[in-house]
Amino acid sequence: GRQCRRIVNVRRSVGMAAAAGVSIVASLILYFAPAPPPAPYERDPLVLFPRTLGEWRAGPAQRLDANIERVLAADDYYSSTYTAAGKPAPVDLFIAWYHSQTEGSGIHSPEVCIPAGGWEMSDIVATTVTLAMADGSTLAMNLNRATIRKGAVRQLVYYWFDERGRRMTSAYAAKAVTVFDALTVGRTDGALMRLVTPVGFNETEADAEQRLQAFLVDLLPIVPRFVPGLEAEK
């Protein structure tokens, strides 16, 4: 009781009061607003993901350790290494897809899961890359760019959150969009998309970046088959 009485001596904050009020209102809306029935959509399972993407050829699909699978809690995932003739290093592709991001399940950001086994993540920045697509169009794509290091070994990482066709860099914004779509269209599916390539000892990060962007040009057109946007609804 004596500790509780000290609350009255805490200096009042307009910002904290406003935040609490918004949180209460949002909670009431989420609790009482009737959610629409989930909108049906079509997607192919990731076991059918192409082993050939343009000039890139995939190695065997890789399975995660059982403990990692349990923590990841994805409904479907795909992991493989792609190589291409004339490219000095491969590109590792990882996709984790979730049918529902409610009730505690959801996407794990690489900022949390990559720093393990001696790897350190640095230079994380949200950026926009401009891609010259095969059909002649130009695509400005938002993604996160990071460098990971383990001793003298460096790797370049691209990743983003694919939220029903929206490519997002912020995990918080992705969660906000998921809440909005849950209330409006009844869908909370989404995916983490991650690309990793080594930075060779005779390379610069710009060389590795060109390799990732070349892979993106071949990857992006096929993604909606497996990570559908809102237009995929039946």
Side-chain angles (χ1 to χ4, degrees), residues 18 30 39 61 70 109 137 153-154 175 184 196:
L30 288 174
R70 184 171 61 254
S109 173
S137 63
V153 179
R154 290 181 298 159
K175 292 182 185 299
T184 56
V196 182

Side-chain angles (χ1 to χ4, degrees), residues 29-181:
I29 292 174
L30 288 174
Y31 185 79
F32 290 106
Y41 58 90
E42 295 181 347
R43 67 173 290 270
D44 290 339
L46 287 170
V47 69
L48 300 179
F49 201 87
R51 299 322 191 234
T52 299
L53 295 173
E55 61 180 341
W56 301 89
R57 304 291 182 270
Q62 302 163 8
R63 301 302 301 177
L64 299 176
D65 178 83
N67 290 330
I68 296 177
E69 279 192 356
R70 184 171 61 254
V71 173
L72 183 69
D75 294 288
D76 196 5
Y77 74 88
Y78 174 70
S79 178
S80 189
T81 299
Y82 285 78
T83 58
K87 302 294 184 184
V91 173
D92 293 332
L93 170 64
F94 179 75
I95 304 172
W97 180 81
Y98 296 81
H99 172 67
S100 173
Q101 296 182 75
T102 58
E103 300 179 1
S105 64
I107 296 172
H108 295 252
S109 173
E111 295 180 36
V112 176
C113 59
I114 282 182
W119 289 100
E120 296 180 357
M121 178 176 277
S122 62
D123 305 324
I124 307 171
V125 61
T127 187
T128 301
V129 298
T130 302
L131 306 173
M133 305 303 290
D135 61 3
S137 63
T138 300
L139 173 65
M141 179 179 174
N142 298 324
L143 49 78
N144 291 303
R145 179 191 185 277
T147 303
I148 58 175
R149 304 172 186 270
K150 187 176 183 180
V153 179
R154 290 181 298 159
Q155 297 190 6
L156 190 65
V157 181
Y158 277 177
Y159 72 91
W160 67 95
F161 308 102
D162 195 309
E163 299 294 344
R164 298 156 300 285
R166 306 178 185 92
R167 302 185 185 106
M168 311 188 71
T169 57
S170 168
Y172 298 105
K175 292 182 185 299
V177 166
T178 296
V179 172
F180 177 80
D181 284 353

